[in-house]
Amino acid sequence: MSTSNPEATPPPSGAAEHAAVDAALADLAEGEENWADLSLSERRKLLDKVHDLTVQHAADWVDAAVGIKGLDPKSPLVGEEWMSGPYSVATATAALSASLAKLEAGGSPLDGATFGTAPGNRTTVKVLPLNIFDKLLLSGFSAEVWLQPGIDRATAQRDAGLAQRDPSHTRGIGVVLGAGNITSIAPLDTLYELIAHNRVVALKLNPITDPLLPVLTRVLEPLISVGAVRLLTGGADVGTYLVHHQQIDHVHMTGSALTHDAIVFGTGEEGAGRKAANEPILEKEISSELGGVSPTIVLPGEWSHADIKFQAEHIATQRLHNGGYNCVAAQAVVVSSEWKQRNEFLAALRDALDRAPDRSAYYPGSDNRVAGAVASFPKAERLGKNGRRVLVTNLDPGEYEPLLQTEYFAPVLGVIDLPYQGNEFARRAAQFVNDDFVGTLGVNIVATPQTIRSMGSAFDSFVESLRYGTIAINAWTGVGYLTATATWGAFPGHTVNDVQSGIGVVHNALLIDHPERTVVRGPFRPSPRSVMKRELSISPKPPWFVNNRTAATTGRLLTAFAGAPSWKRLPAIFASALRG
């Protein structure tokens, strides 16, 4: 295990790095035996310790993330780091612990769950809200996991728990290749490998996040101490040596499809040839979350000026959260050219992008990707004080392809017009994003409650037709990421030689077997307008909006609440949220 400060001591190279990997895997081979001997009760207690340590060291975690991303420590944008960092891990460990407690008692993690149905012979499981605190803190938001067609309630309850239904049967050593953008991804993926798949884990951090090594070592110490987890640092050569090591049984990665293909098939012309022939060089299974081009579909309707302004800020957030360096950042907004408010909406979207806080381009290659987008779309607008935000509008159909097939992973947003109205627009938009966009991780839908009601069953069919792992209706798919009990990953069915947005799911703290997708719903309007329009929500502007003025305070308070939920903590959270 590497525990040195990567800023103070240069990492070893060559043989020394390989020796460090060998030593970590030898530890994990012994640790697997220890893990197999642990009861569900003992595992749950370890998760509870990780939960407590996450909250205890949350400020250090956020400080490290702020340094990585070049944020002003006093900026409201720091709220992103609280919510997508320690808050996410605190809620996940609590939810996983609750699932183990039910298994320990001889039941199922889905005992007491609310089941429903969806089109296409699908069973659904409500995963948000699950308690009164969810209903208050995320008023108007909900999420369901849709099971794959034909999986009924009894089967879902029987199979929930995954590998923890037989905890003594461990499944070897898994590698987790951590992401470099969202700081909770690596520890959450590690927890999922360990609990859902019952594999001990070698977690290799992305070099961007190496400054998090000290705090993650402290947070994961209970799992490290029993030999179930080891942390490693280093570059691509270390990752290559690790994933091909004979002691590794499984690989999980978060990143790009290009990186996935390099691992599975190799690089250059030879790698391309092996991919075409489906002849991988990786001799073990791999699961992955790889992003893609995420669309936002705007269904035309009658919107007030306030609605237009709010939803423009919402879509700007979908693109600009974390600087645009999110696997599920919206990249293309699909609108109706026949919508009478189309121009007003685009003006508001342009303004929201332009007025959003400026931030540094911390993720490697960002400026080159922005330049590539501008080269592909010479008429694109450069927005923001630093001109780094790109808005592409008024495209002809023959100009779409770069926007739909290239995940820019940068603050680039395009708008695509389809010449349809009403239900026909929804049907055509679904067909378009299914067939022409690369990736299946997430899709957003924005529509007034009146539009949804007027479509009736056609709206349900529209949602069913979308082949995406997370579908967010009047919410951002990032809410699905933040919901520990939801599933996160691509739509099922991809293969290693056509991987799209990846294979498998993570998070899924209810340990549901055979999930197909998560469907998130939110309020179209914030409070108090939602109350005035009789929407069942009292939520103000969400704290993940990039222009939320109190996001840092709200994120810190939410993380403390996740550590120790209490009615006494709610007033301060509500007060901060309302000021946002």
Side-chain angles (χ1 to χ4, degrees), residues 6-7 17 20 24 51 85 103-104 129 139 147 170 191 248-249 306 320 330 367 370 392 415 440 470 541 556:
E7 294 183 329
E17 286 186 320
H51 170 270
L103 289 167
E104 181 187 345
S139 175
L147 306 181
T170 55
L191 291 169
I248 295 301
D249 297 282
L320 298 179
D367 288 338
V370 168
V392 184
V415 177
T440 64
T470 299
K541 178 186 293 184
R556 175 175 55 79

Side-chain angles (χ1 to χ4, degrees), residues 91-92 95-100 109 192 484-487 506-512:
T91 55
L96 285 168
S97 177
S99 290
L100 293 193
Y192 198 69
T485 45
T487 56
V506 289
H507 303 187
N508 188 25
L510 295 177
L511 303 175
I512 297 170

Side-chain angles (χ1 to χ4, degrees), residues 319-405:
R319 175 69 268 182
L320 298 179
H321 182 278
N322 191 36
Y325 312 120
N326 286 334
C327 294
V328 77
Q331 184 167 300
V333 185
V334 182
V335 301
S336 168
S337 59
E338 308 304 305
W339 183 27
K340 65 181 181 180
Q341 294 178 291
R342 180 256 187 201
N343 291 341
E344 183 183 359
F345 168 74
L346 290 193
L349 180 60
R350 182 181 294 107
D351 184 64
L353 292 168
D354 193 46
R355 292 165 61 89
D358 285 309
R359 55 194 303 167
S360 63
Y362 77 90
Y363 205 89
S366 175
D367 288 338
N368 289 337
R369 290 189 293 275
V370 168
V374 173
S376 295
F377 307 105
K379 296 180 181 179
E381 299 175 71
R382 306 292 294 266
L383 303 173
K385 292 180 181 178
N386 57 17
R388 291 195 61 258
R389 293 170 218 143
V390 177
L391 177 63
V392 184
T393 59
N394 299 314
L395 292 173
D396 293 327
E399 300 174 312
Y400 294 163
E401 185 173 355
L403 187 66
L404 310 185
Q405 294 294 310

